[in-house]
Amino acid sequence: MPLLLLPGLLCDDALWAPIRPAIAHLAAPMVADLTQDASIPAMAMRALAQAPPRFALVGLSMGGYVAFEILRQAPERVTRLALFDTSARPDTPEQSRRRRGLIGLARTGQFRGVTPRLLPQLIHPRHADGPIAAEVLAMAGRVGRDAFLRQQEAILARPDSRPMLPGLSLPTLVAVGAQDILTPPELAEEMAALIPGAQLRMLPDCGHLPPMESPAAAGEVLREWLAA
């Protein structure tokens, strides 16, 4: 099954690498490039141009925002949907304020990607000093400042996607790390309640990046979703 994977802010292919073995017998995955564009619609258009005619769709965090836009632009091409650690809501005023502050710092040359100080917001504390933390830091460094600025501008302008959710009619998985601080479980519960027939899965001892933090659990829920 063709499978399009949409990474989050400051993430690249490495986000999905740990779960590839778990789904290799069910899917042919490709990772969309979400680093080149400064709007969610443009990201979705680029992803659609690179994708096969029909595909299963997985988005994490910012990738979830792009997944909603793909469903606006070309719903007939998506066969099933999985949303990891994301939200259908737009930013709150406080979130927008913080995001603009980070943009301002990056524009004045103070971009540091994901720093050790920010890691507790992204991953479970049990991963804070190990190889997962190191890979998250390296991933952010590879994506870099310019892409970070484009991605933040895109996220700031995203719409409220909740009104479209009751109209979705495709097999949908909503998964979230039980200790996700950035997009906490109540946001996943909200999406699952709005999407007809959606399956909600909570991943224990996990923060915002389940494919890296808990690849066995994330791979299992993806296998079940692909095989259903």
Side-chain angles (χ1 to χ4, degrees):
M1 181 184 300
L3 177 64
L4 182 62
L5 301 169
L6 305 173
L9 174 74
L10 286 175
C11 295
D12 61 15
D13 297 23
L15 172 69
W16 305 109
I19 63 165
R20 283 178 177 267
I23 61 174
H25 63 297
L26 291 171
M30 65 173 288
V31 180
D33 182 0
L34 304 184
T35 66
Q36 304 300 312
D37 302 291
S39 78
I40 298 297
M43 290 177 179
M45 288 179 65
R46 185 182 297 272
L48 284 165
Q50 298 168 345
R54 283 173 60 77
F55 51 86
L57 182 61
V58 183
L60 182 144
S61 195
M62 181 188 72
Y65 313 151
V66 179
F68 293 137
E69 182 61 27
I70 285 174
L71 288 166
R72 290 187 187 92
Q73 293 186 17
E76 73 285 352
R77 293 179 60 183
V78 182
T79 59
R80 58 188 60 225
L81 173 67
L83 300 165
F84 275 84
D85 298 82
T86 190
S87 170
R89 298 184 176 201
D91 270 1
T92 65
E94 175 59 21
Q95 287 171 327
S96 294
R97 185 193 66 77
R98 289 199 302 266
R99 207 177 296 281
R100 290 191 176 96
L102 293 171
I103 290 171
L105 287 173
R107 283 179 173 158
T108 59
Q110 299 181 62
F111 171 73
R112 297 185 182 88
V114 176
T115 69
R117 183 179 298 177
L118 295 176
L119 278 172
Q121 298 180 44
L122 286 172
I123 57 178
H124 191 280
R126 68 191 174 115
H127 302 306
D129 296 317
I132 293 171
E135 184 53 49
V136 172
L137 294 170
M139 214 170 33
R142 289 191 297 269
V143 174
R145 187 197 76 150
D146 291 346
F148 170 78
L149 289 170
R150 288 190 287 270
Q151 289 177 339
Q152 290 283 33
E153 293 287 356
I155 292 170
L156 271 171
R158 76 187 187 276
D160 188 342
S161 292
R162 286 173 293 179
M164 71 179 289
L165 300 187
L168 298 181
S169 57
L170 70 172
T172 300
L173 165 70
V174 181
V176 64
Q179 284 76 40
D180 188 345
I181 295 171
L182 291 179
T183 53
E186 54 263 31
L187 296 177
E189 292 167 354
E190 178 181 61
M191 290 185 294
L194 288 170
I195 300 171
Q199 299 295 311
L200 176 65
R201 299 295 298 271
M202 205 85 67
L203 305 179
D205 301 319
C206 188
H208 191 60
L209 303 174
M212 299 179 75
E213 296 182 70
S214 298
E220 180 182 357
V221 298
L222 279 178
R223 277 198 308 272
E224 292 174 358
W225 167 74
L226 285 165

